[in-house]
Amino acid sequence: MPEIRFSQSVSARLEDGVLVVTIDNPPVNALSAHVRSGLVAALDHAASLPAIAGVILTGAGSTFIGGADIKEFGKPPVEPMLPEVIDRIESFDKPVVSAVNGAALGGGCEIVLGCHGRIAGEKASFGLPEVKLGIVPGAGGTQRLPRLIGQVAAIDLIGTGRAVKAGEAVTLGLADGIATHPVVAAIALVHECAEKPLRRTGMIRVPPTDPAAVSAAEAKVLARARGQSAPAEAVRLVKAAGELNLRQGLAEERATFLRLRDSGESAALRHVFFAERAAGKVEGLDKVSPRKIVTVAVVGTGLMGSGIAVAALTSGHRVIALEQTQEAAASGRARIAETLDRTVRSGRLTADGRDDCLARLQTTAQAADLAKADLVIEAVFDDLEVKTDLFRRLDGIVTPGAILATNTSYLDPDAIAAATADPSRVVGLHFFSPANVMRLVEVVDCTKTSPDALASVLAFVKRLGKLPVVCGVTEGFIGNRIFSAYRREAEFMLEDGALPQEIDAALEAYGFPMGIFAVNDMAGLEIAWARRKRQAATRDPAARYVEIADRLCEAGRLGRKSGRGWYAYPHGERTIDPEVTAAIEAARAAKNITPRSFTPSEIMSRLLKAMVDEGTALIAEEIAARPGDIDLVMINGYGFPPHKGGPMFAAQQSKDPVS
Ligand code: 3H9
């Protein structure tokens, strides 16, 4: 059957009297203007020929439709707009059925909702992830989804942006069935539909729902919203679907979509989306084939090592965990098993999945067992001698093709690499704790790291489902360098007149889940104290140095686990401690500083400036490749609110980045 072309990305062929329309707009079949116009032309064609019984919509490649073309946001609108295309589909006189071959997201899912029938392929998924971009669905999603699956399930899906696979979609009533060959099944459904009145989603009444269940679903969404406005707006619109008619609901949705699309919050989240796609891309590396990493050795099974082991196991790798003694190896195994159990309890892993992970785990006290590893990640005590000694020993054990990675946070990975016979296979992999949960991994491209070692660990980190950000060698890498810089600024402000609780409150009001002093208490103050002592001899005596943290540490206030730090924790509750206030006042008096007051906005401006100055220095030193990488590190490793886009983005957007 000859192909009929409707636009550069939309074509069709006639099969069994049905027009099978394929959208082919790589990489994700986004709904660019030529896709929308092509779809309308295809419908016109089907309407004009009585011999055509109906229409099927499907996608080329592995995606059905990835959503509206986000790159078109902010550009002048081009007709036809998506809501009109979907209205046309829904009101079409002949059956229109979607054959969902892959992800149907955002506007793609809204097209599916507008169809008269929906067949899911085995790899199909459905989702309205707009809230993750700071917007709400803008082409009927909030009005049609509750008509199909009810308000409670719609609030969950639209409010969180989570996607569902084919099976759950059928259970929810979002898809009519699953088929190995969705186009074939969809053709059959078109013929079936032609025999009876078409089921138009917009005409279905929203099923009556228990108001308590709606409130509970709403509360769940709002609890995760973390200061973002889109989730609450999405819930409001889904609730409105029960009260307004379709036209009114669609108008309200569209107005909300347009308002949010032009908001700073959405611009920030779109920046994060594209920054994530750019992260981990290194010029010239796309031509390098990564080495196959099947077996991962983890040296050290403390909190960090066991977390890394769990991340590797749950992403399908074999893991060999090495400890110094048989007893330590046994407790390492127990720690990994316990973390896997917790993952099962949280619903992120099935019991079978856990058993499968444990079957792929070998714990040992024999270093020689590491010979089978494709990648060794050390997570031992952060001491240069311990690490260099280990890497030297590994040289004689692993194969020449194996990659060696250090998880150091502060040591110089080049010095560790220099201890090995082949430094080109050494990289840094700086995981964040807990490593099985935190997405960020700073991938340290050491001075002698080879392109294929780098490409291989980047592919490995992506396979873990994590976000790799490449950085060069510098003390503390990207994140800890920025953290140190803004911690220093926070301590300057303490000396100048602010209190820890005021600085923390300003950070929390800005959107950080926790202020910097509370974070320091949680992490423990002793590591930074040890570093300050190490650096004391080389510190510029003319540089400003705040001694308050040293005084607290000397008084045994090492943070939350010692019961006292920047705050006191009498019954586990964080409380302001007059002793800390007194220590701060004493430090000011010792330097003859007259304290002054700070507004929350001034506190935030100073902290953001410190972050941005350090970020700018990291780019100038070529430690970080792009500002977006710095933003991702701060968002994913240090609690920077994603809807502010990261410090570099916030600074660029406005002269007053605090607003
Ligand atoms: C929406 O639909 C609003 C409507 O309600 C209302 C409208 C009126 N647009 O992630 P990948 C690019 S809002 C433009 O690595 P994967 C991406 O930048 C939208 N470009 O692939 C990258 O480019 P590059 C709602 C897009 O296979 C390349 O595609 N939809 C879009 O791992 C590959 O991306 C969403 O929020 C887009 N919509 O995952 C879905 N999507 O190669 C967003 C991707 O230059 N997308 N690109 O770096 C995704 O979640 C994933 O991309 C997807 C594929 C699961 C589709």
Side-chain angles (χ1 to χ4, degrees), residues 220-424:
K220 228 166 146 184
V221 166
L222 298 188
R224 311 174 21 142
R226 273 192 60 191
Q228 300 180 25
S229 48
E233 295 281 15
V235 173
R236 178 179 65 78
L237 291 164
V238 174
K239 282 165 72 181
E243 290 146 24
L244 305 177
N245 67 35
L246 182 71
R247 288 292 130 213
Q248 292 166 328
L250 290 177
E252 182 56 32
E253 178 196 77
R254 187 74 185 163
T256 310
F257 165 77
L258 292 174
R259 175 166 50 80
L260 292 180
R261 187 197 61 187
D262 297 336
S263 67
E265 200 170 300
S266 174
L269 288 166
R270 287 194 318 262
H271 159 72
V272 172
F273 177 84
F274 288 117
E276 286 194 1
R277 265 86 206 151
K281 284 191 184 152
V282 178
E283 227 183 290
L285 223 56
D286 49 340
K287 292 172 196 79
V288 179
S289 321
R291 301 182 202 173
K292 208 166 171 200
I293 295 176
V294 177
T295 303
V296 182
V298 180
V299 184
T301 58
L303 183 65
M304 186 54 89
S306 57
I308 297 171
V310 167
L313 287 166
T314 51
S315 53
H317 297 88
R318 295 190 163 279
V319 171
I320 308 166
L322 176 70
E323 267 296 352
Q324 282 178 333
T325 63
Q326 211 47 57
E327 295 73 49
S331 20
R333 189 175 185 91
R335 208 164 12 253
I336 293 167
E338 168 51 28
T339 310
L340 287 168
D341 283 343
R342 265 203 313 277
T343 318
V344 171
R345 285 197 294 275
S346 73
R348 283 178 287 129
L349 185 70
T350 61
D352 285 351
R354 180 221 21 231
D355 295 346
D356 181 48
C357 285
L358 287 172
R360 280 183 276 107
L361 170 67
Q362 176 191 351
T363 40
T364 178
Q366 307 299 322
D369 287 345
L370 268 46
K372 290 169 271 179
D374 304 307
L375 165 69
V376 182
I377 307 173
E378 69 73 16
V380 298
F381 185 62
D382 217 10
D383 176 278
L384 189 60
E385 216 167 295
V386 173
K387 298 208 187 219
T388 46
D389 180 53
L390 170 69
F391 271 58
R392 220 174 277 125
R393 279 192 296 135
L394 286 174
D395 257 343
I397 297 169
V398 298
T399 62
I403 297 170
L404 306 181
T406 168
N407 177 55
T408 183
S409 334
Y410 280 106
L411 300 175
D412 177 359
D414 275 345
I416 299 171
T420 71
D422 178 10
S424 76

Side-chain angles (χ1 to χ4, degrees), residues 3 5 7-11 21-30 32 34-35 39 58-65:
E3 182 192 81
R5 185 148 286 282
S7 75
Q8 68 184 76
S9 53
V10 178
S11 63
V21 178
T22 301
I23 297 153
D24 187 2
N25 186 25
V28 299
N29 296 335
S32 315
H34 47 83
V35 174
L39 287 174
T58 195
S62 56
T63 309
F64 174 69
I65 298 172

Side-chain angles (χ1 to χ4, degrees), residues 82 86 106-114 128 130 137-142 253:
L82 188 59
I86 295 175
C109 187
E110 290 173 301
I111 288 201
V112 169
L113 295 172
L128 289 163
E130 282 85 345
T142 65
E253 178 196 77

Side-chain angles (χ1 to χ4, degrees), residues 634-652:
M634 294 313 290
I635 289 169
N636 292 282
Y638 299 84
F640 198 101
H643 60 288
K644 295 277 167 64
M648 306 304 277
F649 178 83
Q652 211 184 38

